[in-house]
Amino acid sequence: MQITVHWGDLWAPVSMMALSVILSLGTRRWRRKRQAAVMSRSRTHWEWLPFMFGLVVAIAELARLLDVPDPGITISDVVAHALALTTVFMVARTLFILFMRGTRLLFRRRGADSSY
């Protein structure tokens, strides 16, 4: 079965990667302004998730687009699967950190309300 890929199919992953770079620069500027508040918390790196998703799709599509022989496609698929697995772990870590921050904030507010 021949899979057809067009150059237009690379716009979505490339735009996701560009969005990720813009998000990273924006959050870096925001973190510099709130340096004291951010120092106590660990970073989630959520701004790099679109980059990772875009990179996985771009690697998988680019090998097929350039009509690379089968061993090259196999290698690009293995690299894409490894990056996809890394992305899944990044998402899980980000969700865990955000969940812990939310519960900490919830219990801190509940404790402050009961002291009155």
Side-chain angles (χ1 to χ4, degrees), residues 8-51:
D9 294 340
L10 288 177
W11 281 107
V14 169
S15 63
M16 288 176 69
M17 291 165 52
L19 171 71
S20 179
V21 170
I22 292 169
L23 279 172
S24 176
L25 293 175
T27 57
R28 181 179 299 161
R29 187 172 295 146
W30 178 77
R31 282 190 179 110
R32 283 185 186 153
K33 288 181 183 178
R34 305 182 125 216
Q35 191 120 22
V38 175
M39 294 292 274
S40 64
R41 296 188 234 171
S42 63
R43 295 180 62 180
T44 60
H45 302 290
W46 62 270
E47 66 270 9
W48 289 108
L49 293 177
F51 184 85

